[in-house]
Amino acid sequence: ESTLATSLRVALNGRQFTASTAEFVYYGAPATMSTSPSCGPIDGDTPVRVAGAEFAGGGAYRCRFGDNATNFTYFPESLHPLPTTSLVVPATYEPDDGTLRCITPPSAGAADNVATYGELPFAVSLNAQDYTTEDVRFQMYQPLAITALEPPSGPARGGTRVEVRHAHAVGCDARCRVGGVNGASEYLVTGTLDSATIAACVSPPVNETSGGAADTERAGARAVRLSLNAQQYTPMYAEAVGAPPPPPS
């Protein structure tokens, strides 16, 4: 990363310049490579880490979702499109790792639960004016809710592949939280995105040790929550794993 600071003076008549100076900083050519996560719900509030190059030297960092054009990708196209105006929020520079951080804004229509979601062009600016031009996208999806688990139960030893069905959402990083209610141990499970409305997680064992202490509940219902971006989770869905393993034959 490289920056160059220079003094700046102004004149109102083209000849007589101010005695005092202000500092103007030239920075390198910033480039956006990726965001983590690369998706979030349309009601916003998703912390986003932006990886790239030449982010140092800025004075007014911004993240922009959208580009004042109509080149959004819709899921599906028959739904109401995202707004054609861009959504801009402040960002901060993290010198330790050279990244930018910002929080997604709510998409227009989110307050009315309008089906406005899709992939938005994403860019950053170091001066709130000149934005990066790489083809990076951020996906906004409808507020998430679990509609069913299939199957809705499994042995306490775990290992059951459970389809977590939901509606109106396309994600980027599926995770399941199992338990964590009424004193039950909580397990975090990495899932897969099988389709636009189905994520899958493998049930964890609930009759093994957790956190250094035995999980004495063993069989029984466990709350399940789903995230499509490894950050923001649904309210709990109470059907879950828990039948004890059959006795050996």
Side-chain angles (χ1 to χ4, degrees):
E1 296 175 333
S2 59
T3 60
L4 173 65
T6 185
S7 60
L8 176 69
R9 296 186 296 160
V10 298
L12 298 182
N13 61 3
R15 293 186 177 183
Q16 295 164 297
F17 287 84
T18 57
S20 60
T21 63
E23 184 180 78
F24 185 85
V25 177
Y26 289 93
Y27 49 73
T32 304
M33 297 177 182
S34 64
T35 66
S36 180
S38 60
C39 67
I42 62 174
D43 45 8
D45 206 30
T46 304
V48 177
R49 174 182 175 271
V50 186
E54 300 285 0
F55 286 162
Y61 290 98
R62 300 288 187 271
C63 289
R64 185 180 70 187
F65 301 82
D67 63 357
N68 295 314
T70 56
N71 56 340
F72 298 106
T73 302
Y74 309 125
F75 296 99
E77 294 181 356
S78 60
L79 296 176
H80 299 287
L82 282 160
T84 56
T85 56
S86 59
L87 307 168
V88 178
V89 294
T92 57
Y93 175 62
E94 301 291 338
D96 291 343
D97 60 7
T99 62
L100 297 183
R101 308 293 174 93
C102 58
I103 297 177
T104 61
S107 166
D112 300 324
N113 200 33
V114 178
T116 54
Y117 63 104
E119 288 185 343
L120 288 76
F122 176 84
V124 301
S125 174
L126 279 60
N127 64 358
Q129 180 174 319
D130 303 295
Y131 283 84
T132 54
T133 59
E134 291 73 30
D135 186 17
V136 176
R137 300 278 172 144
F138 188 90
Q139 181 178 282
M140 285 191 172
Y141 54 76
Q142 278 285 72
L144 185 62
I146 297 174
T147 58
L149 300 179
E150 182 59 42
S153 62
R157 64 172 176 264
T160 302
R161 185 181 185 278
V162 181
E163 289 187 351
V164 185
R165 299 184 179 183
H166 54 90
H168 306 303
V170 178
C172 56
D173 190 355
R175 304 292 172 93
C176 291
R177 288 189 179 274
V178 180
V181 178
N182 297 326
S185 301
E186 184 176 60
Y187 303 86
L188 177 62
V189 180
T190 300
T192 59
L193 296 167
D194 288 5
S195 72
T197 57
I198 297 177
C201 292
V202 176
S203 64
V206 297
N207 58 348
E208 296 183 356
T209 60
S210 174
D215 187 340
T216 57
E217 297 157 300
R218 297 180 181 272
R222 298 292 190 281
V224 174
R225 295 186 295 157
L226 174 67
S227 173
L228 296 183
N229 66 356
Q231 284 194 28
Q232 292 151 298
Y233 285 81
T234 61
M236 64 180 180
Y237 188 85
E239 291 182 38
V241 300
S249 56

